[in-house]
Amino acid sequence: MSTIRELLKTSGYSDKAIDYYENKVNVGTIENPDAQYRHTGSCGDTVEIFLKISSGIIAEAKFQAIGCAGSFCSGSALTSMVVGKTLKESKEINELDVLEHLGNIPEEKVHCAHLTVVTFRKAIEEYLKNK
């Protein structure tokens, strides 16, 4: 019987992407977040981002997703990438940065990185609007 790791590897996920998926990095919620946004992509996957922001710097980032491994590893990558960055720095991160950080995911899952970035940027927009 194949393991999840073997199946994901065969599908085209890098070891780093698989580690994010298996270890559920930053999956969860933040109580009383400073920013929060939920977005459903055209594929039907839904990502919700939670952020704690202190003095314009992202202190903590978590996410929840209803979707495939691509959405989970992209969410883990993005939330790992933004912690410690200013809002301005983090808004510059795009789907290519997430994909590069992950190493490799299947071509048909690239839209998951886009979904995660769009959701993150909307969370920041809502935060700045309500500030």
Side-chain angles (χ1 to χ4, degrees):
M1 179 180 252
S2 296
T3 66
I4 294 290
R5 178 170 279 280
E6 290 169 341
L7 291 171
L8 292 171
K9 188 79 168 166
T10 302
S11 297
Y13 288 89
S14 70
D15 286 331
K16 186 174 194 174
I18 295 168
D19 287 343
Y20 274 136
Y21 179 75
E22 288 185 326
N23 295 311
K24 297 176 176 45
V25 175
N26 298 324
V27 174
T29 62
I30 296 174
E31 198 169 312
N32 301 313
D34 297 310
Q36 178 180 354
Y37 196 83
R38 180 181 357 188
H39 183 68
T40 301
S42 59
C43 64
D45 287 8
T46 299
V47 173
E48 187 169 14
I49 301 273
F50 304 86
L51 303 171
K52 274 290 189 188
I53 301 166
S54 178
S55 302
I57 296 174
I58 298 173
E60 186 178 6
K62 292 199 179 266
F63 78 100
Q64 290 190 343
I66 299 171
C68 65
S71 290
F72 277 91
C73 64
S74 294
S76 289
L78 179 78
T79 53
S80 295
M81 293 169 71
V82 300
V83 171
K85 291 194 175 357
T86 66
L87 294 177
K88 184 178 180 190
E89 289 171 329
S90 64
K91 280 176 39 178
E92 299 298 316
I93 294 172
N94 61 41
E95 72 183 64
L96 294 177
D97 297 322
V98 173
L99 294 169
E100 184 176 305
H101 181 83
L102 286 170
N104 198 40
I105 63 174
E107 184 70 33
E108 61 273 11
K109 300 299 179 182
V110 167
H111 70 276
C112 297
H114 178 75
L115 170 61
T116 304
V117 169
V118 167
T119 307
F120 172 75
R121 287 182 179 167
K122 295 277 189 186
I124 296 296
E125 283 175 28
E126 290 296 312
Y127 170 77
L128 293 173
K129 235 193 303 187
N130 297 319
K131 194 171 179 230

